[in-house]
């Protein structure tokens, strides 16, 4: 096993599924999610049904006793001494996203990233992966009405990045469109990697493009974005949520 993951904010298990599907050039399994955390019981129940081999914690990341996760990491570290321990955090995004419009932001929700240092100190991961909306980079203080103070946009984000790096990490970030990697949606997300000096940070190369010219299709082997109609059953009208 090359990578050992702890999945915070694991939800119903999308990230874990992707990690578990990772394979090397020869088809060998590369990664395993050993522990997952989420405060929502239904999400954890769904996650557990899909990934029963992972250890599950139904708890707020801010209050979870980390002794269980610490022990969960110790065993595979002994069994796979060359494995890279990774902490994945798909941080809460609602109170950063522009999708919330002009509604007041929840200041407490915006500080969840501040609690990652507990996990960094507990399991000492070689890598930390962050996924969030791109507006996370504008994280800054709010005024008395719960609105971002525009002149201070990004100040908390910069301070937080420096704090994580103080644990001995290098870092990089990218705004990636999942449609460029074969997904059926053009959702753009911020991805961040924090890595110890002996771990090389790399980024995936796009496999698809919105506009593929004939020449680039040949030279870069890029495919057109996948149309969502390929996975829609237009004969299934579903049921109305109103009845």
């Amino acid at each position: 096993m090359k990578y050992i993951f702890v999945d915070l904010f694991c939800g119903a298990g999308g990230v874990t599924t992707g990690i578990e599907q990772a394979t090397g050039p020869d088809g060998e399994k590369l990664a395993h999610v050993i522990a997952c955390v989420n405060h929502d019981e239904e999400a954890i129940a769904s996650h557990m049904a899909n990934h029963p081999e992972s250890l599950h914690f139904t708890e707020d990341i801010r209050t979870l006793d980390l002794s269980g996760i610490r022990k969960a990491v110790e065993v595979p570290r002994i069994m796979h001494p060359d494995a890279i321990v990774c902490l994945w955090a798909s941080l809460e995004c609602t109170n950063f996203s522009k999708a919330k419009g002009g509604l007041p932001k929840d200041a407490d929700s915006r500080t969840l990233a501040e609690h990652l240092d507990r996990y960094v100190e507990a399991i000492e991961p070689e890598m930390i992966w962050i996924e969030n909306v791109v507006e996370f980079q504008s994280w800054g203080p709010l005024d008395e009405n719960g609105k971002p103070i525009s002149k201070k946009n990004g100040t908390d984000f910069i301070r937080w990045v420096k704090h994580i790096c103080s644990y001995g990490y290098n870092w990089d970030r990218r705004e990636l469109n999942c449609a460029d990697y074969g997904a059926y949606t053009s959702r753009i997300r911020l991805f961040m990697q924090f890595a110890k000096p002996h771990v090389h940070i790399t980024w995936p190369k796009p496999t698809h493009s919105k506009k593929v010219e004939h020449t680039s299709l040949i030279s870069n082997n890029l495919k057109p974005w996948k149309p969502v109609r390929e996975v829609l059953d237009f004969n299934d009208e579903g049921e109305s949520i109103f009845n």
Side-chain angles (χ1 to χ4, degrees):
M1 195 63 61
K2 189 173 181 179
Y3 297 95
I4 299 167
F5 275 83
V6 172
D7 184 1
L8 302 183
F9 307 92
C10 67
V15 167
T16 298
T17 297
I19 292 172
E20 293 284 348
Q21 290 177 347
T23 55
D26 298 325
E28 73 276 18
K29 183 177 175 61
L30 292 181
H32 176 52
V33 178
I34 60 169
C36 313
V37 184
N38 197 283
H39 71 282
D40 187 274
E41 293 183 1
E42 292 186 355
I44 285 291
S46 176
H47 194 289
M48 190 177 298
N50 290 313
H51 302 283
E53 71 286 351
S54 298
L55 188 62
H56 292 83
F57 297 89
T58 310
E59 183 66 77
D60 189 317
I61 70 155
R62 294 170 289 193
T63 56
L64 176 64
D65 178 358
L66 300 185
S67 58
I69 287 184
R70 188 182 296 110
K71 292 179 180 178
V73 172
E74 288 176 357
V75 174
R77 258 195 171 132
I78 295 174
M79 296 177 61
H80 307 280
D82 296 327
I84 297 173
V85 175
C86 305
L87 179 65
W88 182 288
S90 296
L91 298 168
E92 194 274 348
C93 64
T94 304
N95 287 281
F96 289 105
S97 175
K98 60 185 178 183
K100 191 167 184 178
L103 296 174
K105 312 293 185 181
D106 184 336
D108 187 52
S109 173
R110 287 162 65 92
T111 63
L112 286 174
E114 303 278 20
H115 298 271
L116 285 186
D117 53 4
R118 291 205 310 132
Y119 296 81
V120 174
E121 294 170 4
I123 66 176
E124 299 180 336
E126 280 80 24
M127 293 194 73
I128 304 169
W129 300 67
I130 304 294
E131 179 264 333
N132 209 325
V133 293
V134 297
E135 293 88 359
F136 179 57
Q137 299 166 103
S138 66
W139 178 19
L142 304 176
D143 62 22
E144 62 276 9
N145 297 315
K147 301 295 182 64
I149 302 174
S150 59
K151 292 183 179 179
K152 296 184 178 181
N153 278 352
T155 54
D156 287 337
F157 174 78
I158 294 171
R159 173 189 53 77
W160 174 77
V161 168
K162 290 181 177 179
H163 174 64
I164 296 298
C165 288
S166 71
Y167 286 98
Y169 295 97
N170 299 318
W171 81 291
D172 197 8
R173 60 180 163 180
R174 292 285 190 279
E175 293 179 18
L176 304 180
N177 189 332
C178 53
D180 291 338
Y181 302 91
Y184 288 99
T185 175
S186 58
R187 181 175 297 176
I188 299 174
R189 285 292 183 267
L190 169 70
F191 290 88
M192 304 173 65
Q193 295 186 54
F194 294 87
K196 292 292 187 178
H198 67 281
V199 180
H200 185 56
I201 294 177
T202 61
W203 296 99
K205 294 181 179 180
T207 56
H208 294 67
S209 177
K210 183 176 183 179
K211 295 182 179 179
V212 179
E213 301 296 337
H214 182 67
T215 54
S216 66
L217 182 62
I218 296 176
S219 60
N220 298 322
N221 199 30
L222 293 176
K223 301 176 182 179
W225 276 4
K226 291 183 177 181
V228 73
R229 64 176 179 271
E230 292 182 357
V231 291
L232 293 179
D233 182 358
F234 291 101
N235 293 319
D236 183 359
E237 297 182 356
E239 297 181 6
S240 171
I241 63 172
F242 299 107
N243 55 24

